[in-house]
Amino acid sequence: MIIEATQITDHRSEDVDVVVIGSGCGGATVALDLARAGYSVLILEQGGHYSAARGDLDQRSDNMLARIDGGRGLDTSLNGELALMYGNCVGGASVHYWADSWRLPQDRADLYETLGVSGHGHARLAPIFDRLERDLNVHVAGPQYYNRMNQLFDVGAKQLGWHVEGVPQARKGCVRSGHCYQGCSFDAKQSQLVTHIPAALAAGARVYSDCRVDRILTDPRSGRATGVQARFIDRATHQPNGGSLSVRARAVVLAAGGYGSAVLWLRSQLPDGNGMVGKNLYTNPNPYLYALFDEPVRLWENIPAATGTSDFRLARYEHGRYVEGGYLLHPNQLQPEFLAVTLPGFGDEHWNLMEQLPYIGSAVSWIDDVHGGHITLASDGSPRYHYALQGDDLLKIRDAFKKQALLLFAAGAHQVIVPDSAGTRLQRPEQIAVFDTLDIQNGAVLYGAPHPAGTLRMGDDPARAVVACNHQAHEVPGLYVADPSVWPLPPSVDPSLTIMAYSVIAAEAIAEHLS
Amino acid sequence: MSRVPVASRRGFLKLGLFASAAAVCLATIQKLGPAPGRYEGLLGAERPRLLSRKAFATLTLFTMDVVGAAPGAVTVQQTRTAARIDLELSIVGGKLAADIRAALALLEHGPLLDGELARYSTLPAAQRTAYLRRLQTGSNVTLRSVYNGLRFLAMFFYYSDDNTWPRLGYRGPWVPEKVFAGGNRIANLDARA
């Protein structure tokens, strides 16, 4: 049962075993497992409930950003360098993800262990990934799902001697409409909205949508989490509709995502003894290039990234100095309005590109950032995301631009277009040295930042971490975190499947506590 | 999980710098006097919700300049681009709305800092283009952010109008539109009028 704000305009009280804040990959998964274990579970989702069956997912980017994106598509880091992308709907960010579904690589699981994360090793995760891949029908896409950009990507990569691989996809019955980012209108993308949420409901969990948690409540003597206070939000105005909710729970699960969980922690004025709450904000920033081809590419068709290369996933260093890599490299997908926004220039210059839109291709990288930012609250309680590209992360972006340009030229492009403020163009691959010095900071290029992590770091040492390896907060008994906030570094691949896997472990720990 | 850069520049104004610039401008602005006729002409029949009439007029002119006027293309007036931006800002409010208001003020009065004896909205078209080019490619991060942030909004709200798509070779969504009460499309402008 999903209860929406329109059904509530008064005060309600709930008394449950577990209240879960957030319904994305973390919250939905932990709710599912605990509901199946027989606990009473209540999920609180700040955003609305939108469904394909009701025609809500109408593929218009303006409508859909207003419906499902946390900042309505307009939220950025404080310096304007990053476009912050996060979910605000039942199903969370999985409603607008690309459905790429990677397992956490073993090297990264091992690295997490060296950074203090125990109980989440590769062997522990493997059977969980097996289950999740079955739940979400994860598979490599067949050739019919390769749009022209995917085909060109393979051509270019092979020309350069780079290994390509099918990107695991969480899809079932995909009709190739090409509007994954706007939320699947056909329930084919296996987001939490159509997988773990309905499964959790079937197991007895309940969901309140449009329900904004104002604070996590604690017992003043023991410091133990006891529940939450929340208000219901009118979707049209984003203002409280007069309804409110008090929840008393034996366990509180914070799963509001990498941008949201630390904010709620800070707003709730929960303990922060080591000063780590809100620190280590990683965002997986994504640089991308455009290119003009002699044939139609139509970036907006079919699925976004059926293929890609992991050849550069791990950064390579020599004598302690960065050489190359530290990112995934994939074909890119954008709808025309996003192309219009990110193609450089204005007036006639911009229109000249727009009228060639079907011939524009693109490649994108996901930077495995190591220099974290941090989150603070303004005086009105609104979050400020402090993040500036720096150090090796900047070098990784420059290297990613070079590799993208090489690939696009090798795929047959006759011109590469940099989405920088100046509108830099390359006519041949020999010009890639321009990326060594190009102004790409301080808003000269707008990077997407879709995969936040790190701000409630996990580790068994309370002096260095916020959350213990059983997902329980060191300083707030009864409060658990089940989202990417706990990771000490980004996972180096799309995070969705790993978020779910960690949440399965979180659910086990919570069940153990409750029993 | 998702991968499209979709945001405007929210935190882009260095307010201290802006305040200094505004102080320098104000004395000159007083001498130049208002340009109400110009602003009203740009407003047309639109009635802004959040922006002042002056800011709305400046935004309208900016959207005209950055989108351009390709032969046969629908205009920013037909797509009500500035009105949709104004509606969105009225919904979002907060820091974004404050930043955009400040950005429009700086855009409008910025030519005075360049030694022009005119505001953006009273410059001839060629000089406006040159001015925007300086914002786009100059080394001043604040001015560049003004350009980029406003440009984002102009392009997104113009090209998310269905009537712009046929000329781009884009056949549009596969499913019918469903009006969203919290949306910012033309239907929402009419519904909230």
Side-chain angles (χ1 to χ4, degrees):
Chain A
M1 179 173 54
I2 298 178
I3 303 161
E4 303 179 72
T6 50
Q7 300 169 253
I8 301 172
T9 53
D10 55 359
H11 180 75
R12 283 197 179 194
S13 297
E14 293 275 2
D15 197 335
V16 295
D17 290 326
V18 185
V19 61
V20 181
I21 305 165
S23 65
C25 290
T29 304
V30 83
L32 168 62
D33 281 15
L34 288 169
R36 280 182 174 166
Y39 296 103
S40 59
V41 177
L42 184 63
I43 304 170
L44 307 182
E45 168 54 52
Q46 178 174 269
H49 175 223
Y50 304 106
S51 78
R54 297 195 299 204
D56 297 327
L57 307 172
D58 70 2
Q59 300 189 340
R60 274 89 182 153
S61 294
D62 43 9
N63 261 348
M64 292 315 304
L65 288 179
R67 284 184 173 112
I68 68 174
D69 188 84
R72 294 173 64 94
L74 301 174
D75 210 354
T76 70
S77 57
L78 201 58
N79 67 356
E81 204 164 56
L82 301 181
L84 310 181
M85 290 175 273
Y86 51 104
N88 188 51
C89 55
V90 174
S94 73
V95 175
H96 70 173
Y97 81 151
W98 275 8
D100 301 357
S101 300
W102 298 95
R103 293 181 175 210
L104 183 71
Q106 178 159 3
D107 57 74
R108 192 52 49 128
D110 293 346
L111 176 62
Y112 285 5
E113 275 194 276
T114 67
L115 294 171
V117 176
S118 61
H120 295 71
H122 185 70
R124 175 77 185 87
L125 293 169
I128 300 174
F129 283 130
D130 289 343
R131 170 200 143 185
L132 292 170
E133 287 173 351
R134 286 193 300 273
D135 283 357
L136 275 65
N137 194 40
V138 175
H139 61 284
V140 172
Q144 71 273 31
Y145 291 103
Y146 279 57
N147 63 20
R148 188 62 187 138
M149 190 61 239
N150 279 261
Q151 295 168 351
L152 290 168
F153 185 98
D154 280 5
V155 168
K158 285 171 183 166
Q159 182 96 359
L160 294 163
W162 300 345
H163 171 72
V164 295
E165 64 208 333
V167 174
Q169 302 287 314
R171 299 176 189 276
K172 190 185 289 181
C174 176
V175 300
R176 299 179 281 172
S177 81
H179 291 81
C180 305
Y181 181 70
Q182 287 80 3
C184 183
S185 308
F186 305 94
D187 284 348
K189 187 173 70 176
Q190 297 295 285
S191 72
Q192 299 300 291
L193 178 64
V194 300
T195 54
H196 287 171
I197 288 290
L201 296 177
R206 293 176 299 136
V207 178
Y208 282 111
S209 69
D210 316 287
C211 184
R212 179 186 296 161
V213 174
D214 289 328
R215 59 184 295 131
I216 295 167
L217 304 173
T218 55
D219 181 279
R221 284 169 297 182
S222 66
R224 181 174 196 82
T226 56
V228 304
Q229 272 186 339
R231 284 181 291 175
F232 291 94
I233 304 300
D234 173 56
R235 287 181 206 169
T237 63
H238 285 231
Q239 299 300 314
N241 75 349
S244 59
L245 177 70
S246 300
V247 181
R248 184 177 167 81
R250 296 168 63 199
V252 177
V253 181
L254 187 47
Y259 289 128
S261 285
V263 171
L264 184 53
W265 186 297
L266 292 168
R267 279 184 187 151
S268 301
Q269 298 181 313
L270 299 177
D272 181 18
N274 58 17
M276 295 283 281
V277 174
K279 304 295 192 301
N280 309 309
L281 172 64
Y282 303 107
T283 66
N284 208 191
N286 59 291
Y288 50 94
L289 290 180
Y290 296 120
L292 279 169
F293 288 85
D294 291 327
E295 59 172 308
V297 178
R298 297 189 191 91
L299 278 175
W300 48 86
E301 292 183 344
N302 214 324
I303 71 173
T307 186
T309 180
S310 296
D311 279 8
F312 310 106
R313 182 176 64 81
L314 297 175
R316 191 163 67 82
Y317 291 81
E318 283 180 6
H319 310 297
R321 294 187 61 182
Y322 173 81
V323 176
E324 67 171 356
Y327 49 82
L328 291 181
L329 178 52
H330 284 175
N332 200 8
Q333 178 170 80
L334 294 104
Q335 273 67 41
E337 57 275 5
F338 296 124
L339 283 159
V341 165
T342 50
L343 285 166
F346 65 90
D348 291 345
E349 177 192 16
H350 185 262
W351 172 248
N352 180 262
L353 290 173
M354 291 303 291
E355 65 181 351
Q356 301 178 79
L357 216 56
Y359 296 84
I360 290 178
S362 183
V364 63
S365 298
W366 312 105
I367 301 297
D368 194 19
D369 50 337
V370 296
H371 294 284
H374 64 281
I375 301 172
T376 59
L377 296 185
S379 57
D380 64 355
S382 60
R384 298 286 183 268
Y385 298 97
H386 306 259
Y387 188 99
L389 293 166
Q390 56 187 300
D392 287 357
D393 294 341
L394 204 51
L395 297 178
K396 290 174 189 173
I397 288 180
R398 294 189 186 284
D399 186 59
F401 274 139
K402 288 182 182 178
K403 298 294 196 300
Q404 290 171 18
L406 289 175
L407 180 130
L408 291 164
F409 279 124
H414 57 81
Q415 184 180 97
V416 164
I417 304 158
V418 185
D420 61 343
S421 191
T424 306
R425 312 270 179 111
L426 281 67
Q427 313 299 333
R428 54 188 186 280
E430 292 76 16
Q431 294 175 305
I432 62 168
V434 70
F435 292 113
D436 287 328
T437 55
L438 194 68
D439 180 8
I440 57 171
Q441 292 177 271
N442 299 312
V445 176
L446 180 62
Y447 304 95
H451 304 145
T455 50
L456 298 172
R457 188 172 181 161
M458 177 181 279
D460 284 323
D461 181 357
R464 301 179 58 185
V466 180
V467 175
C469 295
N470 64 358
H471 289 257
Q472 186 169 213
H474 280 300
E475 296 184 90
V476 189
L479 175 63
Y480 295 81
V481 181
D483 69 23
S485 305
V486 303
W487 295 336
L489 281 173
S492 80
V493 292
D494 185 283
S496 55
L497 213 61
T498 306
I499 298 170
M500 291 178 236
Y502 265 56
S503 296
V504 168
I505 295 173
E508 290 175 5
I510 295 165
E512 188 177 328
H513 157 74
L514 292 176
S515 66
Chain B
M1 294 173 206
S2 57
R3 319 190 140 172
V4 188
V6 289
S8 72
R9 310 302 169 89
R10 177 174 158 183
F12 56 78
L13 282 182
K14 306 285 187 293
L15 290 177
L17 177 59
F18 173 67
S20 304
V24 172
C25 289
L26 280 175
T28 315
I29 294 166
Q30 298 298 328
K31 290 176 187 170
L32 286 172
R38 177 65 165 152
Y39 292 140
E40 293 304 314
L42 287 166
L43 272 166
E46 299 289 2
R47 296 289 174 266
R49 291 166 168 76
L50 180 117
L51 296 174
S52 68
R53 296 171 72 80
K54 176 179 168 182
F56 189 94
T58 305
L59 176 62
T60 300
L61 186 60
F62 179 82
T63 59
M64 292 165 62
D65 285 343
V66 296
V67 168
V74 292
T75 66
V76 295
Q77 284 82 8
Q78 289 170 310
T79 57
R80 301 183 69 183
T81 300
R84 292 183 57 208
I85 295 170
D86 177 60
L87 171 59
E88 177 64 20
L89 295 176
S90 74
I91 297 169
V92 176
K95 188 173 187 322
L96 176 63
D99 282 352
I100 295 300
R101 276 194 288 235
L104 288 167
L106 192 51
L107 173 74
E108 172 69 341
H109 300 124
L112 298 166
L113 296 173
D114 272 1
E116 302 265 10
L117 285 175
R119 284 170 263 189
Y120 167 69
S121 60
T122 56
L123 287 173
Q127 284 176 257
R128 291 202 309 274
T129 299
Y131 170 54
L132 293 179
R133 188 77 64 204
R134 289 197 295 277
L135 299 187
Q136 175 196 5
T137 59
S139 57
N140 186 310
V141 172
T142 303
L143 295 177
R144 188 173 69 189
S145 297
V146 166
Y147 163 81
N148 281 327
L150 295 174
R151 178 189 174 283
F152 179 103
L153 293 174
M155 295 298 186
F156 181 77
F157 282 94
Y158 177 75
Y159 282 106
S160 55
D161 186 293
D162 310 27
N163 295 307
T164 65
W165 297 337
R167 287 172 57 86
L168 307 177
Y170 171 57
R171 284 181 289 187
W174 289 30
V175 295
E177 178 184 351
K178 181 174 181 180
V179 174
F180 175 45
N184 49 40
R185 310 199 99 215
I186 287 179
N188 299 104
L189 288 171
D190 296 336
R192 290 179 180 233

